[in-house]
Amino acid sequence: MGTLFGLEAEPITPHAFLYPLAVWVVMAIVAVANGVFRETVLISRVGEYAGHAVSTALLVAAILLVSFGYFLWTPVEYATVELLLVGTLWTVLTVGFEFVVGYAEGTPVSVTLGQYNVLAGQVWIAVPITLLASPLLFGWLLSQ
């Protein structure tokens, strides 16, 4: 293998992404269930903003739990670059899913983008950050 910035390049094995793809489907189902819970229970009890904040925190916790469980269970030994790619895959799929669903519902792109505006008090950005970081965090921690 060659080097990149003085570091030995790690091989990337395409089959190492099949399990994480299935794990993402599980997380997507959990996210949809979380959204239903937010809309049917949380918002009516605590209000719109608090409902979104609590729902986001619950989803972040669920992502961390699912990710921890996967990396605890998986027989796959991931290289660091593969863990980064798994996080990128989960993040891109999630953000893409959000924009596709928004488009299908007729939500303007500006509204979907507005969910990422932390300066306006939006907390949703915690979800893609968690998706991006959790494979590296747990994949590395649990391989020690």
Coordinates of all heavy atoms in Angstrom, one line a residue, residues 12-28 63 67 70-71 78 80-98 116 127-136:
I12 N -9.8 -0.7 1.8 CA -11.2 -0.6 2.0 C -11.9 -1.8 1.4 O -11.7 -2.1 0.2 CB -11.8 0.7 1.3 CG1 -11.1 1.9 1.9 CG2 -13.3 0.8 1.4 CD1 -11.4 3.2 1.2
T13 N -12.7 -2.5 2.2 CA -13.4 -3.7 1.7 C -14.9 -3.4 1.5 O -15.6 -3.1 2.4 CB -13.2 -4.8 2.7 OG1 -13.6 -4.4 4.0 CG2 -11.8 -5.3 2.7
P14 N -15.4 -3.4 0.2 CA -16.8 -3.1 0.0 C -17.8 -3.9 0.8 O -18.8 -3.4 1.1 CB -16.9 -3.3 -1.5 CG -15.5 -3.2 -2.1 CD -14.6 -3.7 -1.0
H15 N -17.5 -5.2 1.0 CA -18.5 -6.0 1.8 C -18.7 -5.5 3.2 O -19.7 -5.8 3.8 CB -18.0 -7.5 1.8 CG -16.9 -7.8 2.7 ND1 -15.6 -7.6 2.3 CD2 -16.8 -8.2 4.0 CE1 -14.8 -7.9 3.3 NE2 -15.5 -8.3 4.3
A16 N -17.8 -4.7 3.7 CA -17.9 -4.2 5.1 C -19.0 -3.1 5.2 O -19.3 -2.7 6.3 CB -16.6 -3.5 5.5
F17 N -19.7 -2.8 4.1 CA -20.7 -1.8 4.1 C -22.1 -2.4 4.0 O -23.1 -1.6 4.1 CB -20.5 -0.7 3.0 CG -19.2 0.0 3.2 CD1 -18.0 -0.4 2.5 CD2 -19.1 1.0 4.1 CE1 -16.8 0.2 2.7 CE2 -17.9 1.7 4.3 CZ -16.8 1.3 3.6
L18 N -22.2 -3.7 3.8 CA -23.5 -4.3 3.7 C -24.3 -4.3 5.1 O -25.4 -3.9 5.1 CB -23.4 -5.7 3.2 CG -22.9 -5.8 1.8 CD1 -22.8 -7.3 1.3 CD2 -23.9 -5.1 0.8
Y19 N -23.6 -4.7 6.1 CA -24.2 -4.7 7.5 C -24.6 -3.2 7.9 O -25.7 -3.0 8.3 CB -23.3 -5.3 8.5 CG -23.1 -6.8 8.5 CD1 -21.9 -7.4 8.6 CD2 -24.2 -7.6 8.3 CE1 -21.7 -8.7 8.6 CE2 -24.1 -9.0 8.3 CZ -22.8 -9.5 8.4 OH -22.7 -10.9 8.4
P20 N -23.7 -2.3 7.7 CA -24.1 -0.9 8.1 C -25.3 -0.4 7.3 O -26.0 0.5 7.8 CB -22.8 -0.1 7.8 CG -21.7 -1.0 8.0 CD -22.3 -2.4 7.4
L21 N -25.4 -0.8 6.1 CA -26.6 -0.4 5.3 C -27.9 -0.9 5.9 O -28.9 -0.2 6.1 CB -26.5 -0.9 3.8 CG -27.4 -0.3 2.8 CD1 -27.3 1.2 2.8 CD2 -27.1 -0.9 1.5
A22 N -27.8 -2.2 6.4 CA -29.0 -2.8 7.1 C -29.2 -2.1 8.4 O -30.3 -1.8 8.8 CB -28.8 -4.3 7.3
V23 N -28.1 -1.7 9.1 CA -28.2 -1.0 10.4 C -28.9 0.4 10.1 O -29.7 0.8 10.9 CB -26.9 -0.8 11.0 CG1 -26.9 0.1 12.2 CG2 -26.3 -2.2 11.5
W24 N -28.5 1.0 9.0 CA -29.2 2.3 8.7 C -30.7 2.2 8.5 O -31.4 3.0 8.9 CB -28.5 3.0 7.5 CG -29.2 4.3 7.2 CD1 -28.9 5.5 7.7 CD2 -30.3 4.5 6.2 NE1 -29.8 6.5 7.2 CE2 -30.6 5.9 6.3 CE3 -31.0 3.7 5.4 CZ2 -31.6 6.4 5.5 CZ3 -32.0 4.2 4.6 CH2 -32.3 5.6 4.7
V25 N -31.1 1.1 7.9 CA -32.5 0.8 7.7 C -33.2 0.7 9.0 O -34.3 1.3 9.2 CB -32.8 -0.4 6.8 CG1 -34.2 -0.8 6.8 CG2 -32.3 -0.2 5.4
V26 N -32.6 0.1 10.0 CA -33.1 0.0 11.3 C -33.2 1.4 11.9 O -34.3 1.7 12.5 CB -32.3 -1.0 12.2 CG1 -32.7 -0.9 13.7 CG2 -32.4 -2.4 11.7
M27 N -32.2 2.1 11.8 CA -32.2 3.5 12.3 C -33.3 4.4 11.7 O -33.9 5.2 12.3 CB -30.8 4.2 12.2 CG -29.8 3.6 13.2 SD -28.3 4.5 13.4 CE -27.3 3.8 12.0
A28 N -33.5 4.2 10.4 CA -34.5 4.9 9.6 C -35.9 4.6 10.2 O -36.7 5.5 10.4 CB -34.4 4.7 8.1
I63 N -29.8 6.4 18.1 CA -28.7 6.2 17.1 C -27.4 5.7 17.9 O -26.8 4.8 17.4 CB -28.4 7.5 16.3 CG1 -29.5 7.8 15.4 CG2 -27.1 7.4 15.6 CD1 -29.5 9.2 14.8
S67 N -25.9 2.1 17.2 CA -24.5 2.1 16.7 C -23.6 1.3 17.7 O -22.8 0.4 17.2 CB -24.0 3.5 16.5 OG -22.7 3.5 16.0
Y70 N -24.4 -2.4 17.3 CA -23.8 -3.0 16.1 C -22.3 -3.2 16.2 O -21.8 -4.3 15.9 CB -24.1 -2.1 14.9 CG -23.4 -2.5 13.7 CD1 -23.7 -3.7 13.1 CD2 -22.3 -1.8 13.2 CE1 -23.0 -4.2 12.0 CE2 -21.5 -2.3 12.1 CZ -21.9 -3.5 11.5 OH -21.2 -4.0 10.5
F71 N -21.6 -2.2 16.6 CA -20.2 -2.3 16.7 C -19.7 -3.3 17.8 O -18.6 -3.8 17.8 CB -19.5 -1.0 16.8 CG -19.5 -0.3 15.5 CD1 -20.4 0.8 15.2 CD2 -18.7 -0.7 14.4 CE1 -20.5 1.4 14.0 CE2 -18.8 -0.1 13.2 CZ -19.7 1.0 13.0
Y78 N -13.2 -3.3 11.2 CA -13.2 -2.1 10.3 C -11.8 -1.4 10.5 O -11.3 -1.1 11.5 CB -14.3 -1.2 10.7 CG -15.7 -1.6 10.3 CD1 -16.5 -2.3 11.2 CD2 -16.1 -1.4 9.0 CE1 -17.7 -2.8 10.8 CE2 -17.4 -1.8 8.6 CZ -18.2 -2.5 9.5 OH -19.4 -3.0 9.1
T80 N -10.0 2.3 10.0 CA -10.4 3.6 10.4 C -11.1 4.3 9.2 O -12.1 4.9 9.4 CB -9.2 4.5 10.9 OG1 -8.6 3.8 12.0 CG2 -9.6 5.9 11.3
V81 N -10.5 4.2 8.1 CA -11.1 4.8 6.9 C -12.5 4.2 6.6 O -13.4 5.0 6.2 CB -10.2 4.8 5.7 CG1 -10.1 3.3 5.1 CG2 -10.7 5.7 4.6
E82 N -12.7 3.0 6.9 CA -14.0 2.3 6.7 C -15.0 2.9 7.7 O -16.2 3.1 7.3 CB -13.9 0.8 6.8 CG -13.2 0.2 5.6 CD -12.9 -1.3 5.8 OE1 -12.7 -1.7 6.9 OE2 -12.9 -2.0 4.8
L83 N -14.6 3.1 8.9 CA -15.5 3.7 9.9 C -15.9 5.1 9.5 O -17.1 5.5 9.7 CB -14.8 3.7 11.3 CG -14.5 2.3 11.9 CD1 -13.6 2.4 13.1 CD2 -15.8 1.6 12.3
L84 N -15.0 5.8 9.0 CA -15.3 7.2 8.5 C -16.3 7.1 7.3 O -17.2 7.9 7.2 CB -14.1 7.9 8.1 CG -13.1 8.4 9.2 CD1 -11.8 8.8 8.6 CD2 -13.8 9.5 10.0
L85 N -16.1 6.1 6.5 CA -17.0 6.0 5.3 C -18.4 5.5 5.8 O -19.4 5.9 5.2 CB -16.4 5.0 4.3 CG -15.2 5.6 3.5 CD1 -14.6 4.5 2.7 CD2 -15.7 6.8 2.7
V86 N -18.5 4.6 6.8 CA -19.8 4.2 7.3 C -20.5 5.4 7.8 O -21.7 5.6 7.6 CB -19.6 3.1 8.4 CG1 -20.9 2.8 9.1 CG2 -19.1 1.8 7.7
G87 N -19.9 6.2 8.6 CA -20.5 7.4 9.1 C -21.0 8.4 8.0 O -22.1 8.9 8.1
T88 N -20.1 8.5 7.0 CA -20.5 9.3 5.9 C -21.7 8.7 5.1 O -22.7 9.4 4.8 CB -19.3 9.5 4.9 OG1 -18.2 10.1 5.6 CG2 -19.7 10.3 3.7
L89 N -21.7 7.4 5.0 CA -22.9 6.7 4.3 C -24.1 7.0 5.1 O -25.2 7.4 4.5 CB -22.6 5.2 4.2 CG -23.7 4.3 3.7 CD1 -23.9 4.6 2.2 CD2 -23.4 2.9 4.0
W90 N -24.1 6.7 6.4 CA -25.3 6.9 7.2 C -25.8 8.4 7.2 O -27.0 8.6 7.1 CB -25.0 6.6 8.7 CG -24.9 5.1 9.0 CD1 -25.2 4.1 8.1 CD2 -24.5 4.5 10.2 NE1 -24.9 2.9 8.7 CE2 -24.5 3.1 10.0 CE3 -24.1 5.0 11.4 CZ2 -24.2 2.2 11.0 CZ3 -23.7 4.1 12.4 CH2 -23.8 2.7 12.2
T91 N -24.9 9.3 7.2 CA -25.2 10.7 7.1 C -25.8 11.1 5.8 O -26.9 11.8 5.8 CB -24.0 11.6 7.5 OG1 -23.5 11.2 8.7 CG2 -24.4 13.1 7.5
V92 N -25.2 10.7 4.7 CA -25.7 11.0 3.4 C -27.1 10.4 3.2 O -28.0 11.1 2.6 CB -24.7 10.6 2.3 CG1 -25.3 10.7 0.9 CG2 -23.5 11.5 2.4
L93 N -27.2 9.2 3.5 CA -28.5 8.5 3.4 C -29.6 9.2 4.2 O -30.7 9.4 3.7 CB -28.4 7.0 3.8 CG -27.7 6.1 2.9 CD1 -27.5 4.7 3.5 CD2 -28.4 6.0 1.5
T94 N -29.3 9.6 5.4 CA -30.3 10.3 6.2 C -30.7 11.6 5.7 O -31.9 12.0 5.6 CB -29.8 10.4 7.7 OG1 -29.5 9.1 8.2 CG2 -30.8 11.1 8.6
V95 N -29.7 12.4 5.4 CA -30.0 13.8 4.8 C -30.7 13.6 3.5 O -31.7 14.4 3.2 CB -28.7 14.6 4.7 CG1 -29.0 15.9 4.0 CG2 -28.2 14.9 6.1
G96 N -30.3 12.7 2.7 CA -31.0 12.5 1.4 C -32.4 12.0 1.6 O -33.3 12.5 0.9
F97 N -32.6 11.1 2.5 CA -34.0 10.7 2.8 C -34.8 11.8 3.3 O -36.0 12.0 2.9 CB -33.9 9.6 3.9 CG -35.2 9.0 4.4 CD1 -35.8 8.1 3.6 CD2 -35.8 9.5 5.5 CE1 -37.1 7.5 4.0 CE2 -37.0 8.9 5.9 CZ -37.7 8.0 5.1
E98 N -34.3 12.7 4.1 CA -35.0 13.8 4.6 C -35.5 14.8 3.5 O -36.6 15.2 3.4 CB -34.2 14.6 5.6 CG -34.9 15.8 6.3 CD -34.0 16.5 7.2 OE1 -32.8 16.2 7.4 OE2 -34.6 17.5 7.8
Y116 N -31.5 23.0 9.7 CA -30.1 22.9 10.1 C -29.5 24.2 10.6 O -28.3 24.3 10.9 CB -29.3 22.5 8.8 CG -29.6 21.1 8.4 CD1 -30.6 20.8 7.5 CD2 -28.9 20.0 8.9 CE1 -30.9 19.5 7.1 CE2 -29.2 18.7 8.5 CZ -30.2 18.5 7.7 OH -30.5 17.2 7.3
V127 N -28.4 15.2 14.9 CA -28.6 13.9 14.3 C -27.6 13.5 13.3 O -26.9 12.5 13.4 CB -30.1 13.8 13.8 CG1 -30.3 12.5 13.0 CG2 -31.1 13.9 14.9
P128 N -27.4 14.3 12.2 CA -26.3 14.0 11.3 C -24.9 13.9 11.9 O -24.1 13.1 11.5 CB -26.4 15.0 10.1 CG -27.5 16.0 10.5 CD -28.2 15.5 11.8
I129 N -24.7 14.8 12.8 CA -23.3 14.8 13.5 C -23.2 13.5 14.2 O -22.1 12.8 14.2 CB -23.2 16.0 14.4 CG1 -23.0 17.3 13.6 CG2 -22.0 15.8 15.4 CD1 -23.1 18.5 14.4
T130 N -24.2 13.0 14.9 CA -24.1 11.7 15.6 C -24.0 10.6 14.6 O -23.2 9.7 14.9 CB -25.4 11.5 16.5 OG1 -25.6 12.6 17.4 CG2 -25.4 10.2 17.2
L131 N -24.7 10.6 13.5 CA -24.5 9.6 12.5 C -23.1 9.5 12.0 O -22.6 8.4 11.7 CB -25.5 9.8 11.4 CG -27.0 9.5 11.7 CD1 -27.9 10.1 10.7 CD2 -27.2 8.0 11.8
L132 N -22.5 10.7 11.8 CA -21.2 10.8 11.2 C -20.2 10.3 12.2 O -19.2 9.5 11.8 CB -20.9 12.2 10.8 CG -19.6 12.5 10.1 CD1 -19.5 11.7 8.8 CD2 -19.4 14.0 9.9
A133 N -20.3 10.6 13.5 CA -19.3 10.3 14.5 C -19.4 9.0 15.1 O -18.4 8.4 15.5 CB -19.3 11.4 15.5
S134 N -20.6 8.4 15.3 CA -20.8 7.2 16.1 C -20.0 6.0 15.5 O -19.5 5.2 16.4 CB -22.3 6.9 16.3 OG -22.9 6.6 15.1
P135 N -19.9 5.8 14.2 CA -19.1 4.6 13.8 C -17.7 4.7 14.2 O -17.1 3.7 14.7 CB -19.3 4.6 12.3 CG -20.6 5.3 12.0 CD -20.6 6.4 13.1
L136 N -17.1 5.9 14.0 CA -15.7 6.1 14.4 C -15.5 5.9 15.9 O -14.6 5.2 16.4 CB -15.2 7.4 13.9 CG -13.7 7.7 14.1 CD1 -12.9 6.6 13.3 CD2 -13.4 9.1 13.6

